[in-house]
Amino acid sequence: MSAYIADQTWPDEARRLNALERALDESTCRHLVRVGVSAGMRCLEIGAGSGSIARWFSRTVGPTGQVTATDLDTTLLEALPGECANVRVLREDISESVRLVGEGFDVVHARLVLGHVAQPERALTNIIQVLRKGGVALIEDADFLWSDVGEQPLYPASAALAYFPVWRAAVDYMHRRGYAVHWGRQLAAAMRSAGFEDVSGEAVILIGDRALQGSMALTIKRFAPALLQEGSVDQSAIDACLAALEDHPGTTFTGSPVFSVRGRRSR
Ligand SMILES: C[S@@+](CC[C@H](N)C(=O)[O-])C[C@H]1O[C@@H](n2cnc3c(N)ncnc32)[C@H](O)[C@@H]1O
């Protein structure tokens, strides 16, 4: 069973997920259009979170299509089937469950999910098995590239000085708790090893995106109690980091790359 580090018990988790959706949906939908999502298709959204992509699938496949939205915790998805007649919601752990094998989905999508899974390779094998032959998976995962380099582009420089040490402590914390902070760069090779064919993709770095900057502030707030408890940063460092992210009107934030990789099931 997966132990997800950012579960929905945190009161602001819906706000954090909504900010991520506002930042990332445009790019994701562009990729899904390129993959060929269209009316009448059967689509699976894994780790659907707050459900914006499941809603997009619902509108795009229309009444003749079907959408399945899964998550470890489906609390934020409960309203979906009432809103969209072609959507069903299932509580599923993608690293364990193969309940959907044989469903023959045309398209499967998972964003910012596999990096959290203890055995992402096994999850990829499960994903192949729920696709129809010829079906396509689009998998998207971040890569905390800047934590290696020792800085994250955030201007002015004073904002970066306040932001980066706390972000670095948060990355280390997430890594120790099982999050694969560099999974994005490994994704294409892992998909090939899992048996996907025609594997290709691209990575996007958002620059100056206020929604992404807001989601980062919420991520820092979410992990702040744990960082304070382990003593890796103190309250004044966290306050300075949040002020740099939230309050500085001239701050320009450059996000971590998000890798979007597609692959086809051929057999
Ligand atoms: C960072 S959120 C991303 C949510 C959504 N995919 C998005 O990009 O807006 C990660 C989501 O994956 C779910 N999740 C984590 N581990 C999972 C697993 N093993 N199986 C299914 N869902 C999982 C979490 O509950 C959470 O909703």
Side-chain angles (χ1 to χ4, degrees):
M1 181 71 187
S2 286
Y4 176 50
I5 54 169
D7 65 41
Q8 292 174 13
T9 55
W10 189 55
D12 260 346
E13 186 58 14
R15 264 183 74 211
R16 196 179 77 90
L17 289 177
N18 290 153
L20 271 177
E21 291 176 344
R22 287 198 305 281
L24 301 178
D25 280 4
E26 185 192 335
S27 165
T28 294
C29 295
R30 196 164 29 85
H31 285 290
L32 288 172
V33 166
R34 182 171 175 177
V35 156
V37 180
S38 56
M41 282 190 164
R42 302 184 70 240
C43 299
L44 170 63
E45 172 70 355
I46 294 168
S50 187
S52 65
I53 296 301
R55 285 184 176 82
W56 182 89
F57 271 133
S58 167
R59 290 191 297 277
T60 308
V61 303
T64 56
Q66 281 182 333
V67 180
T68 302
T70 70
D71 205 290
L72 276 183
D73 183 344
T74 53
T75 309
L76 298 173
L77 302 169
E78 270 164 15
L80 256 182
E83 285 171 28
C84 315
N86 58 356
V87 176
R88 71 173 163 166
V89 171
L90 297 176
R91 189 175 288 256
E92 286 262 354
D93 181 340
I94 187 57
S95 65
E96 303 222 327
S97 169
V98 281
R99 202 160 31 130
L100 295 168
V101 167
E103 292 262 340
F105 291 102
D106 298 296
V107 173
V108 175
H109 173 248
R111 184 177 71 194
L112 306 183
V113 180
L114 264 62
H116 291 287
V117 168
Q119 292 176 281
E121 296 82 3
R122 182 166 171 203
L124 286 171
T125 305
N126 288 344
I127 289 170
I128 290 208
Q129 289 177 7
V130 303
L131 280 167
R132 69 163 167 80
K133 287 175 189 160
V136 176
L138 174 70
I139 313 291
E140 301 187 285
D141 275 290
D143 189 312
F144 293 158
L145 167 76
W146 307 118
S147 64
D148 285 351
V149 179
E151 64 171 331
Q152 179 146 13
L154 179 69
Y155 296 97
S158 56
L161 278 176
Y163 167 74
F164 192 75
V166 179
W167 173 238
R168 182 69 217 229
V171 170
D172 288 347
Y173 172 78
M174 289 187 248
H175 176 65
R176 285 197 307 279
R177 293 283 311 277
Y179 179 60
V181 296
H182 296 313
W183 176 242
R185 73 186 70 170
Q186 298 163 27
L187 184 54
M191 286 177 72
R192 261 192 214 104
S193 301
F196 283 97
E197 301 214 341
D198 302 331
V199 174
S200 63
E202 66 184 45
V204 165
I205 296 178
L206 291 177
I207 300 164
D209 187 285
R210 302 304 286 189
L212 186 66
Q213 197 166 328
S215 81
M216 276 302 148
L218 286 163
T219 299
I220 298 292
K221 278 187 190 161
R222 158 147 218 154
F223 293 121
L227 302 183
L228 290 170
Q229 195 180 20
E230 69 179 14
S232 53
V233 291
D234 61 18
Q235 187 64 51
S236 63
I238 286 176
D239 292 345
C241 171
L242 290 175
L245 279 175
E246 287 175 339
D247 296 339
H248 199 295
T251 305
T252 305
F253 176 71
T254 300
S256 297
V258 176
F259 285 66
S260 303
V261 184
R262 55 192 175 273
R264 193 168 51 81
R265 174 181 180 172
S266 65
R267 288 179 274 122

